[in-house]
Amino acid sequence: MNKTICRVVVLGAVSLLSTGPASSGLAVSVLAVSAPATTTAAAQTVAEKAVQIRARALLEEFYAVKLERLWAAFTPDVKAQWGTFDGFTQYRKTGVEQFGAQKELVAEKTFVRGGVTYYVRSATFEKSPQVVWAVAFGFDQLGRVSDFGISLEHDRSGDQVALGSF
């Protein structure tokens, strides 16, 4: 049985669960992080801006299933979540098949907590445009990806909308 360690990053009211390879018996560790409601571009620190630029580049490669640089940036603990590079690659390929390409960028934010600089991108994807997913990167002081997770942030499909009778 393949056991996977997943890390939960709690960002204010949003819980980001790193969805590792599908397997039974997931072990979960928790890292609590409180995020500010918003971070404006003007309020970003130099570290936050640098992380935003780097995370965007790594995310573009992640979306394109070019995973070598991201894998190399992972700390040993993050790599252990996926087991092997092949396991991480299969996880990403499955994500592409199930959800398609990014359709809408909903929000981005950066913040620093406990010596880790976080980048969080909220977005929808072609095959489930009503669901907002959050991708989170945490960069340690050495610039390594010490936290990585993807989780459901918001399901808009049940939101109240104006329908019918006008």
Coordinates of all heavy atoms in Angstrom, one line a residue, residues 47-140:
A47 N 10.7 40.5 -0.6 CA 10.6 39.1 -0.5 C 9.3 38.6 -1.2 O 9.4 37.6 -1.9 CB 10.8 38.6 0.9
E48 N 8.2 39.2 -0.8 CA 6.9 38.7 -1.4 C 6.9 38.9 -2.9 O 6.4 38.0 -3.6 CB 5.8 39.5 -0.8 CG 5.5 39.1 0.7 CD 4.5 40.0 1.3 OE1 4.6 41.2 1.2 OE2 3.6 39.4 2.0
K49 N 7.4 40.0 -3.4 CA 7.4 40.3 -4.9 C 8.3 39.3 -5.6 O 7.9 38.7 -6.6 CB 7.9 41.7 -5.1 CG 7.8 42.1 -6.6 CD 6.3 42.1 -7.1 CE 6.2 42.5 -8.5 NZ 4.9 42.3 -9.0
A50 N 9.5 39.0 -5.0 CA 10.4 38.0 -5.6 C 9.7 36.6 -5.6 O 9.8 35.9 -6.6 CB 11.7 37.9 -4.8
V51 N 9.1 36.2 -4.5 CA 8.4 35.0 -4.4 C 7.2 34.9 -5.5 O 7.0 33.9 -6.1 CB 7.9 34.7 -3.0 CG1 6.7 33.7 -3.0 CG2 9.0 34.2 -2.2
Q52 N 6.5 36.0 -5.6 CA 5.4 36.0 -6.6 C 5.9 35.8 -8.0 O 5.4 35.0 -8.7 CB 4.7 37.4 -6.5 CG 3.5 37.5 -7.5 CD 2.8 38.8 -7.4 OE1 3.5 39.8 -7.5 NE2 1.5 38.8 -7.4
I53 N 7.0 36.4 -8.4 CA 7.6 36.2 -9.7 C 8.1 34.8 -9.9 O 7.8 34.1 -10.9 CB 8.8 37.2 -9.9 CG1 8.2 38.7 -10.0 CG2 9.6 36.8 -11.1 CD1 9.3 39.7 -9.9
R54 N 8.8 34.3 -8.9 CA 9.3 32.9 -9.0 C 8.1 31.9 -9.0 O 8.1 30.9 -9.8 CB 10.2 32.6 -7.8 CG 10.8 31.2 -7.9 CD 12.1 31.1 -7.2 NE 12.6 29.7 -7.4 CZ 13.0 28.9 -6.4 NH1 12.9 29.3 -5.1 NH2 13.4 27.7 -6.6
A55 N 7.2 32.1 -8.1 CA 6.0 31.1 -8.0 C 5.2 31.1 -9.3 O 4.8 30.1 -9.8 CB 5.1 31.5 -6.9
R56 N 5.0 32.3 -9.9 CA 4.3 32.4 -11.2 C 5.0 31.6 -12.3 O 4.4 30.8 -13.0 CB 4.2 33.8 -11.6 CG 3.1 34.6 -10.9 CD 3.1 36.0 -11.4 NE 2.0 36.8 -10.8 CZ 1.9 38.1 -10.9 NH1 2.9 38.8 -11.6 NH2 0.9 38.8 -10.4
A57 N 6.4 31.7 -12.3 CA 7.2 31.0 -13.3 C 7.1 29.4 -13.1 O 6.9 28.7 -14.0 CB 8.6 31.4 -13.3
L58 N 7.2 29.0 -11.8 CA 7.1 27.6 -11.5 C 5.7 27.1 -11.8 O 5.5 25.9 -12.2 CB 7.5 27.4 -10.0 CG 8.9 27.5 -9.7 CD1 9.1 27.4 -8.2 CD2 9.8 26.5 -10.4
L59 N 4.7 27.9 -11.5 CA 3.3 27.5 -11.8 C 3.0 27.3 -13.3 O 2.3 26.4 -13.7 CB 2.3 28.5 -11.1 CG 0.9 28.0 -11.0 CD1 0.7 26.7 -10.3 CD2 0.1 29.1 -10.3
E60 N 3.6 28.2 -14.1 CA 3.4 28.1 -15.5 C 4.0 26.7 -16.0 O 3.4 26.1 -16.8 CB 4.2 29.2 -16.3 CG 3.4 30.6 -16.1 CD 2.1 30.6 -16.8 OE1 2.0 30.0 -17.9 OE2 1.1 31.1 -16.2
E61 N 5.2 26.4 -15.5 CA 5.8 25.1 -15.8 C 5.0 23.9 -15.3 O 4.8 22.9 -15.9 CB 7.2 25.0 -15.3 CG 8.1 26.0 -16.0 CD 9.6 26.0 -15.5 OE1 9.9 25.2 -14.6 OE2 10.4 26.7 -16.1
F62 N 4.4 24.1 -14.1 CA 3.6 23.1 -13.5 C 2.3 22.8 -14.4 O 2.0 21.7 -14.7 CB 3.1 23.5 -12.1 CG 2.2 22.5 -11.4 CD1 2.6 21.3 -10.9 CD2 0.8 22.9 -11.2 CE1 1.8 20.5 -10.2 CE2 0.0 22.0 -10.6 CZ 0.4 20.8 -10.1
Y63 N 1.7 23.9 -14.8 CA 0.5 23.8 -15.7 C 0.9 23.1 -17.0 O 0.1 22.4 -17.6 CB 0.0 25.2 -16.0 CG -0.8 25.8 -14.9 CD1 -1.1 27.1 -14.9 CD2 -1.3 25.0 -13.8 CE1 -1.9 27.7 -13.9 CE2 -2.0 25.6 -12.8 CZ -2.3 27.0 -12.8 OH -3.1 27.5 -11.8
A64 N 2.1 23.4 -17.5 CA 2.6 22.8 -18.8 C 3.2 21.4 -18.6 O 3.7 20.8 -19.6 CB 3.6 23.7 -19.4
V65 N 3.2 20.9 -17.4 CA 3.7 19.5 -17.0 C 5.2 19.5 -17.3 O 5.8 18.5 -17.8 CB 3.0 18.4 -17.7 CG1 3.3 17.0 -17.1 CG2 1.5 18.6 -17.6
K66 N 5.9 20.6 -17.1 CA 7.3 20.7 -17.1 C 7.8 20.8 -15.6 O 7.8 21.9 -15.1 CB 7.8 21.9 -17.9 CG 7.4 21.8 -19.4 CD 7.9 23.1 -20.1 CE 7.4 23.0 -21.6 NZ 7.8 24.3 -22.3
L67 N 8.0 19.7 -15.0 CA 8.1 19.7 -13.5 C 9.5 19.6 -13.0 O 9.6 19.6 -11.7 CB 7.3 18.5 -13.1 CG 5.8 18.4 -13.6 CD1 5.2 17.1 -13.2 CD2 5.0 19.6 -13.0
E68 N 10.5 19.6 -13.8 CA 11.9 19.4 -13.3 C 12.3 20.5 -12.3 O 12.9 20.2 -11.3 CB 12.9 19.3 -14.4 CG 12.7 18.0 -15.2 CD 11.6 18.1 -16.3 OE1 11.0 19.2 -16.5 OE2 11.3 17.0 -16.9
R69 N 12.1 21.8 -12.7 CA 12.5 22.9 -11.8 C 11.7 22.9 -10.5 O 12.3 23.2 -9.5 CB 12.4 24.2 -12.6 CG 13.5 24.5 -13.5 CD 13.6 25.9 -14.1 NE 12.5 26.7 -14.0 CZ 12.5 27.9 -13.5 NH1 13.6 28.4 -13.0 NH2 11.4 28.7 -13.5
L70 N 10.4 22.7 -10.6 CA 9.7 22.7 -9.4 C 10.1 21.5 -8.5 O 10.3 21.7 -7.3 CB 8.2 22.5 -9.7 CG 7.2 22.5 -8.5 CD1 7.4 23.7 -7.6 CD2 5.8 22.4 -9.0
W71 N 10.3 20.3 -9.0 CA 10.8 19.2 -8.2 C 12.1 19.5 -7.6 O 12.3 19.2 -6.4 CB 10.9 17.9 -9.1 CG 11.2 16.7 -8.3 CD1 12.5 16.1 -8.3 CD2 10.4 15.9 -7.5 NE1 12.4 15.0 -7.4 CE2 11.2 14.9 -6.9 CE3 9.0 16.0 -7.1 CZ2 10.7 13.9 -6.1 CZ3 8.5 15.1 -6.3 CH2 9.3 14.0 -5.8
A72 N 13.0 20.1 -8.3 CA 14.3 20.5 -7.8 C 14.2 21.5 -6.7 O 15.1 21.5 -5.8 CB 15.2 21.0 -8.9
A73 N 13.2 22.4 -6.7 CA 13.0 23.4 -5.7 C 12.4 22.9 -4.4 O 12.5 23.5 -3.4 CB 12.2 24.5 -6.3
F74 N 11.7 21.7 -4.5 CA 11.1 21.1 -3.3 C 12.1 20.7 -2.3 O 13.1 20.2 -2.6 CB 10.3 19.8 -3.7 CG 9.0 20.1 -4.4 CD1 8.3 19.0 -5.0 CD2 8.3 21.3 -4.4 CE1 7.1 19.1 -5.6 CE2 7.1 21.4 -5.0 CZ 6.5 20.3 -5.6
T75 N 11.7 20.9 -1.0 CA 12.5 20.4 0.1 C 12.3 18.9 0.2 O 11.4 18.4 -0.4 CB 12.1 21.0 1.4 OG1 10.8 20.7 1.7 CG2 12.3 22.6 1.5
P76 N 13.2 18.2 0.9 CA 13.0 16.7 1.0 C 11.6 16.4 1.6 O 11.0 15.4 1.2 CB 14.2 16.3 1.9 CG 15.2 17.3 1.6 CD 14.5 18.6 1.4
D77 N 11.1 17.2 2.5 CA 9.8 16.9 3.1 C 8.7 17.0 2.1 O 7.8 16.2 2.1 CB 9.5 17.9 4.3 CG 10.3 17.5 5.5 OD1 10.9 16.4 5.6 OD2 10.4 18.4 6.4
V78 N 8.8 18.0 1.2 CA 7.7 18.1 0.2 C 7.9 17.0 -0.9 O 6.9 16.4 -1.3 CB 7.8 19.5 -0.5 CG1 6.8 19.6 -1.7 CG2 7.5 20.6 0.5
K79 N 9.1 16.6 -1.2 CA 9.3 15.5 -2.1 C 8.7 14.2 -1.6 O 8.1 13.4 -2.3 CB 10.8 15.3 -2.5 CG 11.3 16.3 -3.4 CD 12.8 16.1 -3.7 CE 13.3 17.1 -4.7 NZ 14.8 16.9 -5.0
A80 N 8.9 14.1 -0.2 CA 8.4 12.9 0.4 C 6.8 12.7 0.3 O 6.3 11.6 0.3 CB 8.8 12.9 1.9
Q81 N 6.1 13.9 0.1 CA 4.7 13.8 0.0 C 4.3 13.0 -1.3 O 3.3 12.4 -1.4 CB 4.1 15.2 -0.2 CG 4.1 16.0 1.1 CD 3.6 17.4 0.8 OE1 2.7 17.6 0.0 NE2 4.1 18.4 1.5
W82 N 5.2 13.1 -2.3 CA 4.9 12.6 -3.6 C 5.6 11.3 -3.8 O 5.3 10.5 -4.8 CB 5.3 13.6 -4.7 CG 4.6 14.9 -4.4 CD1 5.2 16.0 -3.9 CD2 3.2 15.2 -4.6 NE1 4.3 17.0 -3.7 CE2 3.0 16.5 -4.2 CE3 2.2 14.5 -5.1 CZ2 1.8 17.1 -4.2 CZ3 0.9 15.1 -5.1 CH2 0.8 16.4 -4.7
G83 N 6.6 10.9 -3.0 CA 7.3 9.7 -3.2 C 8.5 9.8 -4.2 O 9.6 9.7 -3.8
T84 N 8.1 10.0 -5.4 CA 9.1 10.0 -6.5 C 8.7 11.1 -7.5 O 7.5 11.6 -7.5 CB 9.2 8.7 -7.3 OG1 7.9 8.5 -7.9 CG2 9.5 7.5 -6.3
F85 N 9.6 11.5 -8.3 CA 9.3 12.4 -9.4 C 8.3 11.8 -10.3 O 7.4 12.6 -10.8 CB 10.6 12.8 -10.2 CG 10.4 13.7 -11.3 CD1 10.1 15.0 -11.1 CD2 10.5 13.3 -12.6 CE1 9.9 15.9 -12.1 CE2 10.3 14.1 -13.7 CZ 10.0 15.5 -13.4
D86 N 8.4 10.6 -10.6 CA 7.4 9.9 -11.5 C 6.0 10.0 -10.9 O 5.0 10.2 -11.6 CB 7.7 8.5 -11.7 CG 8.9 8.3 -12.7 OD1 9.2 9.3 -13.4 OD2 9.6 7.3 -12.7
G87 N 5.9 9.8 -9.5 CA 4.6 9.9 -8.9 C 4.0 11.3 -9.0 O 2.8 11.5 -9.2
F88 N 4.9 12.3 -8.8 CA 4.5 13.7 -8.9 C 4.0 14.0 -10.3 O 3.0 14.7 -10.6 CB 5.6 14.6 -8.5 CG 5.3 16.1 -8.5 CD1 4.3 16.6 -7.7 CD2 6.0 17.0 -9.3 CE1 3.9 18.0 -7.7 CE2 5.7 18.3 -9.3 CZ 4.7 18.8 -8.5
T89 N 4.8 13.5 -11.3 CA 4.4 13.7 -12.7 C 3.1 13.1 -13.0 O 2.2 13.7 -13.7 CB 5.5 13.1 -13.6 OG1 6.8 13.8 -13.3 CG2 5.2 13.3 -15.1
Q90 N 2.8 11.9 -12.6 CA 1.5 11.3 -12.8 C 0.4 12.0 -12.2 O -0.7 12.2 -12.8 CB 1.6 9.8 -12.3 CG 0.3 9.1 -12.6 CD 0.0 9.1 -14.2 OE1 0.9 8.7 -15.0 NE2 -1.2 9.5 -14.5
Y91 N 0.6 12.6 -10.9 CA -0.4 13.4 -10.3 C -0.7 14.6 -11.2 O -1.9 14.9 -11.4 CB 0.2 13.9 -8.9 CG -0.6 15.0 -8.3 CD1 -1.8 14.8 -7.7 CD2 -0.1 16.3 -8.4 CE1 -2.6 15.9 -7.2 CE2 -0.8 17.4 -7.9 CZ -2.0 17.1 -7.3 OH -2.7 18.2 -6.7
R92 N 0.3 15.3 -11.7 CA 0.0 16.4 -12.5 C -0.7 16.1 -13.8 O -1.6 16.8 -14.2 CB 1.3 17.2 -12.8 CG 1.1 18.4 -13.6 CD 0.2 19.4 -12.9 NE -0.3 20.4 -13.9 CZ -1.6 20.7 -14.0 NH1 -2.5 20.2 -13.2 NH2 -1.9 21.6 -14.9
K93 N -0.3 15.0 -14.5 CA -0.9 14.6 -15.7 C -2.4 14.3 -15.5 O -3.3 14.6 -16.3 CB -0.2 13.4 -16.3 CG 1.1 13.8 -16.9 CD 1.8 12.5 -17.5 CE 3.1 12.9 -18.2 NZ 3.8 11.7 -18.7
T94 N -2.7 13.6 -14.3 CA -4.1 13.3 -14.0 C -4.9 14.6 -13.8 O -6.0 14.7 -14.2 CB -4.1 12.4 -12.7 OG1 -3.4 11.2 -13.0 CG2 -5.6 12.1 -12.3
G95 N -4.3 15.6 -13.2 CA -4.9 16.9 -13.0 C -5.3 17.6 -14.3 O -6.3 18.1 -14.5
V96 N -4.3 17.5 -15.2 CA -4.6 18.1 -16.6 C -5.8 17.4 -17.2 O -6.7 18.0 -17.8 CB -3.3 18.0 -17.5 CG1 -3.6 18.4 -18.9 CG2 -2.2 18.9 -16.9
E97 N -5.8 16.0 -17.2 CA -6.9 15.3 -17.8 C -8.2 15.6 -17.1 O -9.2 15.7 -17.8 CB -6.6 13.8 -17.6 CG -5.4 13.3 -18.5 CD -5.0 11.9 -18.1 OE1 -5.7 11.2 -17.3 OE2 -4.0 11.4 -18.6
Q98 N -8.3 15.7 -15.8 CA -9.5 15.9 -15.1 C -10.0 17.4 -15.1 O -11.2 17.6 -15.1 CB -9.4 15.5 -13.6 CG -9.2 14.0 -13.5 CD -9.1 13.6 -12.0 OE1 -8.8 14.4 -11.1 NE2 -9.2 12.3 -11.7
F99 N -9.1 18.3 -15.1 CA -9.5 19.7 -15.0 C -9.2 20.6 -16.1 O -9.8 21.7 -16.3 CB -8.9 20.3 -13.7 CG -9.4 19.6 -12.5 CD1 -8.5 18.7 -11.9 CD2 -10.6 19.7 -11.9 CE1 -8.9 17.9 -10.7 CE2 -11.0 19.0 -10.8 CZ -10.2 18.1 -10.2
G100 N -8.3 20.3 -17.0 CA -7.9 21.1 -18.1 C -7.1 22.3 -17.7 O -6.5 22.3 -16.7
A101 N -7.0 23.3 -18.6 CA -6.2 24.4 -18.4 C -6.8 25.5 -17.5 O -8.1 25.5 -17.4 CB -5.8 25.1 -19.8
Q102 N -6.0 26.3 -17.0 CA -6.6 27.4 -16.2 C -7.5 28.3 -17.0 O -7.1 28.6 -18.1 CB -5.5 28.3 -15.6 CG -6.0 29.4 -14.7 CD -5.0 30.3 -14.1 OE1 -4.2 29.8 -13.3 NE2 -4.9 31.6 -14.5
K103 N -8.7 28.6 -16.5 CA -9.6 29.4 -17.3 C -9.7 30.8 -16.8 O -9.6 31.8 -17.5 CB -11.0 28.8 -17.2 CG -12.1 29.5 -17.9 CD -13.4 28.8 -17.9 CE -14.4 29.8 -18.5 NZ -15.5 29.1 -19.1
E104 N -9.8 31.0 -15.4 CA -9.9 32.3 -14.9 C -9.0 32.4 -13.6 O -9.0 31.6 -12.7 CB -11.4 32.5 -14.4 CG -11.6 33.8 -13.7 CD -13.0 33.9 -13.0 OE1 -13.8 32.9 -13.1 OE2 -13.2 34.9 -12.3
L105 N -8.2 33.5 -13.6 CA -7.4 33.8 -12.4 C -8.4 34.6 -11.5 O -8.9 35.7 -11.9 CB -6.2 34.7 -12.8 CG -5.4 35.3 -11.6 CD1 -4.9 34.2 -10.7 CD2 -4.3 36.2 -12.1
V106 N -8.7 34.1 -10.4 CA -9.6 34.7 -9.4 C -8.9 35.7 -8.5 O -9.3 36.8 -8.3 CB -10.4 33.7 -8.6 CG1 -11.3 34.3 -7.6 CG2 -11.2 32.7 -9.5
A107 N -7.8 35.3 -8.0 CA -7.0 36.1 -7.1 C -5.6 35.6 -6.9 O -5.4 34.4 -7.1 CB -7.7 36.2 -5.7
E108 N -4.7 36.4 -6.5 CA -3.4 36.1 -6.0 C -3.0 36.8 -4.8 O -3.5 37.9 -4.6 CB -2.3 36.5 -7.1 CG -2.3 35.9 -8.4 CD -1.2 36.4 -9.3 OE1 -1.3 37.6 -9.6 OE2 -0.3 35.7 -9.6
K109 N -2.3 36.2 -3.9 CA -1.8 36.9 -2.7 C -0.5 36.3 -2.3 O -0.1 35.2 -2.5 CB -2.8 36.9 -1.6 CG -3.2 35.6 -1.1 CD -4.3 35.7 0.0 CE -5.1 34.5 0.0 NZ -6.4 34.7 0.7
T110 N 0.3 37.2 -1.6 CA 1.5 36.8 -1.0 C 1.5 37.3 0.4 O 0.9 38.3 0.8 CB 2.8 37.4 -1.7 OG1 2.7 38.8 -1.7 CG2 2.9 36.9 -3.1
F111 N 2.2 36.6 1.3 CA 2.4 37.0 2.7 C 3.5 36.2 3.3 O 3.9 35.2 2.8 CB 1.1 36.8 3.5 CG 0.5 35.4 3.5 CD1 0.8 34.6 4.5 CD2 -0.3 35.0 2.4 CE1 0.3 33.3 4.5 CE2 -0.8 33.7 2.4 CZ -0.5 32.8 3.5
V112 N 4.0 36.7 4.5 CA 5.1 36.0 5.2 C 4.5 35.6 6.5 O 3.9 36.4 7.3 CB 6.3 37.0 5.3 CG1 7.4 36.3 6.1 CG2 6.8 37.5 4.0
R113 N 4.8 34.4 6.9 CA 4.5 33.8 8.2 C 5.6 32.9 8.7 O 5.9 32.0 7.9 CB 3.2 33.1 8.3 CG 1.9 33.9 8.1 CD 1.7 34.8 9.3 NE 0.5 35.6 9.2 CZ 0.5 36.8 8.6 NH1 1.6 37.3 8.1 NH2 -0.7 37.5 8.5
G114 N 6.1 33.1 9.9 CA 7.1 32.2 10.4 C 8.3 31.9 9.6 O 8.8 30.8 9.5
G115 N 8.8 32.9 8.9 CA 10.0 32.7 8.1 C 9.7 32.1 6.7 O 10.6 31.9 6.0
V116 N 8.5 31.9 6.4 CA 8.1 31.3 5.1 C 7.3 32.3 4.4 O 6.4 33.0 4.9 CB 7.2 30.0 5.3 CG1 6.8 29.5 4.0 CG2 8.0 29.0 6.1
T117 N 7.6 32.6 3.1 CA 6.9 33.5 2.2 C 6.0 32.7 1.4 O 6.4 31.8 0.6 CB 7.9 34.3 1.4 OG1 8.8 35.0 2.3 CG2 7.1 35.4 0.6
Y118 N 4.7 33.0 1.4 CA 3.7 32.2 0.7 C 3.1 33.0 -0.5 O 3.0 34.2 -0.5 CB 2.5 31.9 1.7 CG 2.8 30.9 2.7 CD1 3.2 31.4 4.0 CD2 2.7 29.6 2.5 CE1 3.6 30.5 5.0 CE2 3.0 28.7 3.5 CZ 3.4 29.1 4.8 OH 3.8 28.2 5.7
Y119 N 2.8 32.2 -1.5 CA 2.1 32.7 -2.7 C 0.9 31.8 -2.9 O 1.1 30.5 -2.9 CB 3.0 32.5 -3.9 CG 2.3 32.8 -5.2 CD1 2.0 34.1 -5.7 CD2 1.9 31.7 -6.0 CE1 1.4 34.3 -6.9 CE2 1.2 31.9 -7.2 CZ 0.9 33.2 -7.6 OH 0.3 33.4 -8.8
V120 N -0.3 32.4 -3.0 CA -1.5 31.6 -3.2 C -2.2 32.1 -4.4 O -2.4 33.3 -4.6 CB -2.4 31.7 -2.0 CG1 -3.7 30.9 -2.2 CG2 -1.7 31.2 -0.7
R121 N -2.5 31.2 -5.4 CA -3.3 31.6 -6.6 C -4.6 30.9 -6.5 O -4.6 29.6 -6.4 CB -2.5 31.2 -7.8 CG -3.4 31.5 -9.1 CD -2.7 31.1 -10.3 NE -1.6 32.0 -10.6 CZ -1.2 32.3 -11.9 NH1 -1.7 31.6 -12.9 NH2 -0.3 33.2 -12.1
S122 N -5.7 31.6 -6.7 CA -7.0 31.0 -6.8 C -7.4 31.1 -8.2 O -7.3 32.2 -8.8 CB -8.0 31.8 -5.9 OG -7.5 31.8 -4.6
A123 N -7.9 30.0 -8.8 CA -8.3 30.0 -10.2 C -9.3 28.9 -10.5 O -9.5 28.0 -9.7 CB -7.0 29.7 -11.0
T124 N -10.0 29.1 -11.6 CA -10.9 28.1 -12.1 C -10.2 27.4 -13.3 O -9.3 28.0 -13.9 CB -12.3 28.7 -12.5 OG1 -12.1 29.6 -13.6 CG2 -12.9 29.4 -11.4
F125 N -10.8 26.2 -13.7 CA -10.2 25.5 -14.8 C -11.3 25.1 -15.8 O -12.5 25.0 -15.4 CB -9.4 24.3 -14.3 CG -8.2 24.7 -13.5 CD1 -8.3 25.1 -12.2 CD2 -7.0 24.8 -14.1 CE1 -7.2 25.6 -11.5 CE2 -5.9 25.3 -13.4 CZ -6.0 25.7 -12.1
E126 N -10.9 24.8 -17.0 CA -11.8 24.6 -18.1 C -12.9 23.6 -17.8 O -14.1 23.8 -18.1 CB -11.1 24.1 -19.4 CG -10.2 25.1 -20.0 CD -9.4 24.6 -21.1 OE1 -9.0 23.4 -21.1 OE2 -9.1 25.3 -22.1
K127 N -12.6 22.4 -17.2 CA -13.5 21.4 -17.1 C -14.4 21.5 -15.8 O -15.3 20.6 -15.6 CB -12.8 20.0 -17.1 CG -12.2 19.7 -18.5 CD -11.5 18.4 -18.6 CE -10.9 18.2 -19.9 NZ -10.3 16.9 -20.0
S128 N -14.1 22.5 -15.0 CA -15.0 22.7 -13.8 C -14.9 24.2 -13.5 O -14.4 24.6 -12.4 CB -14.5 21.9 -12.6 OG -13.2 22.2 -12.2
P129 N -15.5 25.0 -14.4 CA -15.3 26.5 -14.2 C -16.1 27.1 -13.0 O -15.8 28.2 -12.7 CB -15.9 27.0 -15.6 CG -16.8 25.9 -16.0 CD -16.2 24.6 -15.6
Q130 N -16.9 26.3 -12.4 CA -17.6 26.9 -11.2 C -16.9 26.6 -9.9 O -17.3 27.1 -8.9 CB -19.1 26.3 -11.2 CG -19.2 24.8 -10.8 CD -18.9 23.9 -11.9 OE1 -18.2 24.2 -12.9 NE2 -19.4 22.6 -11.8
V131 N -15.8 25.8 -10.0 CA -15.0 25.5 -8.8 C -13.7 26.3 -8.8 O -13.0 26.3 -9.8 CB -14.7 24.0 -8.8 CG1 -13.8 23.6 -7.6 CG2 -16.0 23.2 -8.7
V132 N -13.5 27.0 -7.7 CA -12.2 27.7 -7.5 C -11.2 26.9 -6.7 O -11.5 26.4 -5.6 CB -12.5 29.1 -6.8 CG1 -11.2 29.8 -6.6 CG2 -13.5 29.9 -7.5
W133 N -10.1 26.7 -7.3 CA -9.0 25.9 -6.7 C -7.9 26.8 -6.2 O -7.6 27.8 -6.9 CB -8.4 24.9 -7.7 CG -9.4 23.8 -8.0 CD1 -10.2 23.8 -9.1 CD2 -9.6 22.6 -7.3 NE1 -11.0 22.6 -9.1 CE2 -10.6 21.9 -8.0 CE3 -9.1 22.1 -6.1 CZ2 -11.1 20.7 -7.6 CZ3 -9.6 20.9 -5.7 CH2 -10.6 20.2 -6.4
A134 N -7.3 26.6 -5.1 CA -6.2 27.4 -4.6 C -4.9 26.5 -4.7 O -4.9 25.4 -4.2 CB -6.5 27.8 -3.2
V135 N -3.9 27.1 -5.3 CA -2.6 26.5 -5.3 C -1.7 27.4 -4.4 O -1.6 28.6 -4.6 CB -2.0 26.5 -6.8 CG1 -0.6 25.9 -6.8 CG2 -2.9 25.8 -7.7
A136 N -1.0 26.7 -3.5 CA -0.2 27.5 -2.5 C 1.3 27.0 -2.6 O 1.5 25.7 -2.6 CB -0.7 27.3 -1.1
F137 N 2.2 27.9 -2.6 CA 3.6 27.6 -2.5 C 4.1 28.3 -1.2 O 3.8 29.5 -1.0 CB 4.4 28.3 -3.7 CG 4.2 27.6 -5.0 CD1 3.1 28.0 -5.8 CD2 5.0 26.7 -5.4 CE1 3.0 27.5 -7.1 CE2 4.9 26.1 -6.7 CZ 3.8 26.5 -7.5
G138 N 4.9 27.7 -0.4 CA 5.6 28.3 0.7 C 7.1 28.2 0.4 O 7.6 27.1 0.2
F139 N 7.8 29.3 0.4 CA 9.2 29.4 0.2 C 9.9 29.6 1.5 O 9.7 30.6 2.1 CB 9.6 30.4 -0.9 CG 9.1 30.1 -2.2 CD1 7.8 30.5 -2.6 CD2 9.9 29.5 -3.2 CE1 7.3 30.2 -3.9 CE2 9.4 29.2 -4.4 CZ 8.1 29.6 -4.8
D140 N 10.9 28.8 1.8 CA 11.7 29.0 3.0 C 12.7 30.1 2.8 O 12.8 30.7 1.7 CB 12.3 27.7 3.5 CG 13.4 27.1 2.6 OD1 13.9 27.8 1.7 OD2 13.7 25.9 2.8

